Amino acid sequence: QVQLVESGGGLVQAGGSLRLSCATSGGRISRISAMGWFRQAPGQEREFVAGIDWSSSHTDYADFLKDRFTISRDNLKNMVYLQMNSLKVEDTAVYYCAAAEGRYRPTIFRRPNGVDYWGQGTQVTVSS
């Protein structure tokens, strides 16, 4: 089993920044090949934000980010981060940490159905 716990969400003004953190633990943590972030606004489907290959650190971002977000990981601490800059009102959502087992396949990991483990979510609210 793998447990994911997010932190770092909150209320921020448009144009501001937040850093989200995700701590991983569990007996199957060595099976994890990919980690990343999804988000879900009320009434919306859960959408991919960013992903990272756990071993190579190769990254993948949703097109709408336009270089505003940066995903990173610390393998030694089993942590993954999402630095969010130049936040917009439309970034308001619950952000979920995600992990997948097996070989990293970005096309698959971009879909919620390709995720094996989810965190509980952390709320990010961007005000105008």
Side-chain angles (χ1 to χ4, degrees), residues 2 9 13 19 23 25 35 38 44 46 48 63-66 68-69 77 83 92 94 106 114 117 124 126 128:
V2 173
Q13 285 263 353
R19 179 179 293 140
S25 62
M35 294 193 66
F38 288 70
Q44 306 279 322
R46 191 167 297 188
F48 173 78
D63 292 339
F64 62 77
L65 295 179
K66 300 183 185 301
R68 296 185 297 117
F69 293 5
K77 296 181 178 180
Q83 177 66 45
T92 296
V94 176
Y117 304 99
V124 172
V126 184
S128 60

Side-chain angles (χ1 to χ4, degrees), residues 80-101:
V80 63
Y81 307 94
L82 185 69
Q83 177 66 45
M84 305 185 294
N85 298 323
S86 301
L87 283 162
K88 303 176 180 179
V89 172
E90 52 261 46
D91 294 320
T92 296
V94 176
Y95 283 71
Y96 296 91
C97 185
E101 297 184 358

Side-chain angles (χ1 to χ4, degrees), residues 35 51-61 71 73 104 106:
M35 294 193 66
I52 187 166
D53 186 316
W54 197 246
S55 61
S56 72
S57 78
H58 174 79
T59 57
D60 183 36
Y61 295 95
I71 188 171
R73 89 282 184 267
Y104 178 51

